[in-house]
Amino acid sequence: MTPAPKTPYELLGGESGVRALVDRFYDLMDTLPEAASIRALHPANLKGSRDKLFKFLSGWFGGPPLYMEEYGHPKLRARHLPFPVGEGERDAWMLCMGRALDETALEPLVREQLKGAFFRTADHMRNRGPGLML
């Protein structure tokens, strides 16, 4: 019997790996000049943002559904509508997440698959710019 494939949560090292990814993502967002547009949409103190993204990614990556247990369905698009998210913000978010993923010990194929999934999700959050039908 073939063992079930590991989830991204397991491949990242569980809770500590997901937390490290989230922390690196927000550290990059906080320091990269190219991320200024997306950083400006966040509160000065990123503690709450870090915690929510960690809880969301825990479940999204196949680990415990911490976000759903605390907040219910993520409703990502609806939760992001109050913020002006265009291609620039999407790309800045992806720059930070891409670099954070590049620093993980994930296999290259898994890393690229996650980048693709993140891009599709980040692009879905756009509410400003070309190609949108609101």
Side-chain angles (χ1 to χ4, degrees):
M1 184 173 190
T2 306
K6 289 188 173 184
T7 64
Y9 183 84
E10 293 167 318
L11 293 171
L12 281 163
E15 179 181 340
S16 63
V18 174
R19 194 169 295 281
L21 177 69
V22 168
D23 285 342
R24 185 63 182 140
F25 166 78
Y26 278 111
D27 290 347
L28 289 164
M29 183 190 290
D30 216 17
T31 58
L32 291 176
E34 304 96 310
S37 65
I38 194 72
R39 178 61 181 93
L41 299 178
H42 289 75
N45 184 328
L46 291 171
K47 185 177 183 325
S49 299
R50 288 175 191 261
D51 187 56
K52 282 185 176 178
L53 183 58
F54 163 73
K55 289 175 179 175
F56 172 75
L57 290 182
S58 175
W60 196 62
F61 284 156
L66 305 173
Y67 189 95
M68 296 240 337
E69 289 171 356
E70 187 168 341
Y71 301 105
H73 191 283
K75 301 177 191 169
L76 290 179
R77 180 109 167 110
R79 290 185 197 269
H80 287 80
L81 279 176
F83 306 100
V85 179
E87 290 178 351
E89 290 75 22
R90 175 204 61 203
D91 294 347
W93 194 97
M94 282 302 304
L95 172 70
C96 298
M97 185 54 75
R99 287 194 185 177
L101 281 167
D102 286 343
E103 295 176 16
T104 68
L106 291 170
E107 302 235 353
L109 178 61
V110 174
R111 186 179 304 118
E112 292 309 309
Q113 288 172 335
L114 288 177
K115 284 181 182 180
F118 274 123
F119 181 84
R120 288 185 296 278
T121 303
D123 194 55
H124 184 65
M125 297 305 108
R126 286 188 312 117
N127 53 38
R128 303 285 190 280
L132 295 177
M133 297 175 12
L134 298 175

